[in-house]
Amino acid sequence: MSAATRLRRLDEAAEIVVLERTSYVSFANCGLPYHVGGVIEDRASLLLQTPESLAARFRLDVRVSTEAVSIDPDRHTVAVRNVVTGETSEITYDRLILAPGAAPVRPPIPGIDTAYALRNVEDMDALAAKVATSGSAAVIGGGFIGLEIAENLRHRGLHVTVLEAAPQAMAPLDPELAELVHRRLRDNGIDLRLGVAVAEVSPTGVRLADGGEIHADLVLAAIGVRPDSGLAETAGLTLGRGGAILVDDFGRTSAPDVYAVGDAVAKRDALDGSEVLVPLANTANLQG
């Protein structure tokens, strides 16, 4: 949406179509854990814009529940599918911008697909409904999102266990600083387990690699994210590190007239020029 609204400000006459496979656009994703935890009580406050408001203000044709199925760079077409009705169609483009974002990492752990994730509004609604009937939770992953979820589940009164395979939570921090985070978590009643690997996820919780078991009414996986670049890959676009879409300094991909921005794109490190993955909202918005 950052790219679409900026394009409108630059060109009043352009026909701008936005395809979104979920039911929502322009929502405050950083606030999702805090609605689950009841800190942000009003769900509507997370929904910044709607297709109707974007059409009225920016004359954008925003089509929600519409998935881009495939791209034909030679014909400059996108095959789309309505996820509600199943109806398929094709649209043409002069320029195409890919902003599919990042998808949750799902390692080859039995049952991991049954664990909750928190990427969009639909995920938030499903998690909030489950929390309302749960007394305990296991959070796999001690990074930014995992700890935010753990904090908010604890705020809702659940008994929360955080499982982190590394020797510390918050990997970007120095060990001395991470120890302060560990202490804060435990002081607030969170059962933090470090250096433990999950072997299986089941309806009753998780089984650890050392044979131990953690009972939990709900399990949430916050192991990290990966570029959601499947659409670009099938279209033959060049990918780089971790499956991220390779772009130049102007956001151009290897296909003519196709650009890409956001979490699905490889960035260039300002210090050494190497490819890096930086799945952060401020970077994505600036690129858009």
Side-chain angles (χ1 to χ4, degrees):
M1 296 314 308
S2 300
T5 53
R6 180 60 178 162
L7 282 170
R8 172 57 70 222
R9 291 184 172 99
L10 294 173
D11 188 339
E12 295 182 3
E15 177 186 358
I16 303 173
V17 178
V18 179
L19 306 176
E20 170 56 47
R21 65 185 168 194
T22 72
S23 301
Y24 299 91
V25 292
S26 189
F27 58 88
N29 57 343
C30 291
L32 300 183
Y34 296 93
H35 176 67
V36 172
V39 178
I40 299 176
E41 297 182 1
D42 185 7
R43 179 181 180 277
S45 66
L46 299 174
L47 308 179
L48 307 179
Q49 298 283 353
T50 65
E52 293 75 21
S53 67
L54 290 164
R57 182 176 179 184
F58 296 103
R59 198 166 59 79
L60 300 177
D61 181 0
V62 180
R63 306 178 187 181
V64 295
S65 301
T66 303
E67 180 179 15
V69 177
S70 64
I71 303 166
D72 188 332
D74 294 329
R75 296 176 55 237
H76 280 51
T77 60
V78 179
V80 301
R81 180 179 68 90
N82 185 302
V83 300
V84 177
T85 66
E87 180 183 359
T88 60
S89 59
E90 188 176 81
I91 62 175
T92 60
Y93 64 84
D94 297 315
R95 301 289 190 273
L96 177 66
I97 299 176
L98 301 177
V105 169
R106 291 299 202 197
I109 298 174
I112 192 67
D113 288 338
T114 65
Y116 286 82
L118 188 57
R119 182 187 185 191
N120 52 41
V121 176
E122 286 89 348
D123 291 340
M124 179 191 73
D125 289 340
L127 181 59
K130 181 64 175 177
V131 168
T133 61
S134 299
S136 59
V139 177
I140 306 173
F144 288 100
I145 303 303
L147 296 192
E148 284 187 353
I149 285 292
E151 173 191 1
N152 281 280
L153 294 177
R154 186 69 187 131
H155 188 263
R156 287 288 300 270
L158 275 66
H159 179 273
V160 180
T161 302
V162 173
L163 305 168
E164 171 57 55
Q168 70 173 61
M170 295 295 288
L173 296 183
D174 290 336
E176 296 84 358
L177 291 176
E179 185 56 40
L180 299 178
V181 176
H182 301 164
R183 190 183 311 162
R184 184 71 172 176
L185 289 166
R186 288 164 173 150
D187 286 347
N188 282 274
I190 291 176
D191 183 5
L192 176 63
R193 310 277 186 101
L194 300 173
V196 296
V198 174
E200 183 181 3
V201 177
S202 73
T204 59
V206 299
R207 181 172 59 82
L208 305 180
D210 63 6
E213 294 188 4
I214 305 295
H215 171 79
D217 297 321
L218 75 88
V219 178
L220 183 135
I223 303 169
V225 295
R226 57 172 179 76
D228 193 356
S229 54
L231 185 65
E233 183 177 15
T234 57
L237 275 61
T238 302
L239 304 184
R241 177 184 176 186
I245 304 170
L246 277 185
V247 296
D248 64 13
D249 291 342
F250 298 94
R252 295 176 294 200
T253 70
S254 59
D257 301 320
V258 179
Y259 298 75
V261 295
D263 292 352
V265 171
K267 282 74 172 176
R268 190 68 59 189
D269 190 285
L271 295 178
D272 62 14
S274 63
E275 290 177 34
V276 291
L277 300 177
V278 187
L280 294 176
N282 60 341
T283 306
N285 278 317
L286 288 170
Q287 285 190 314

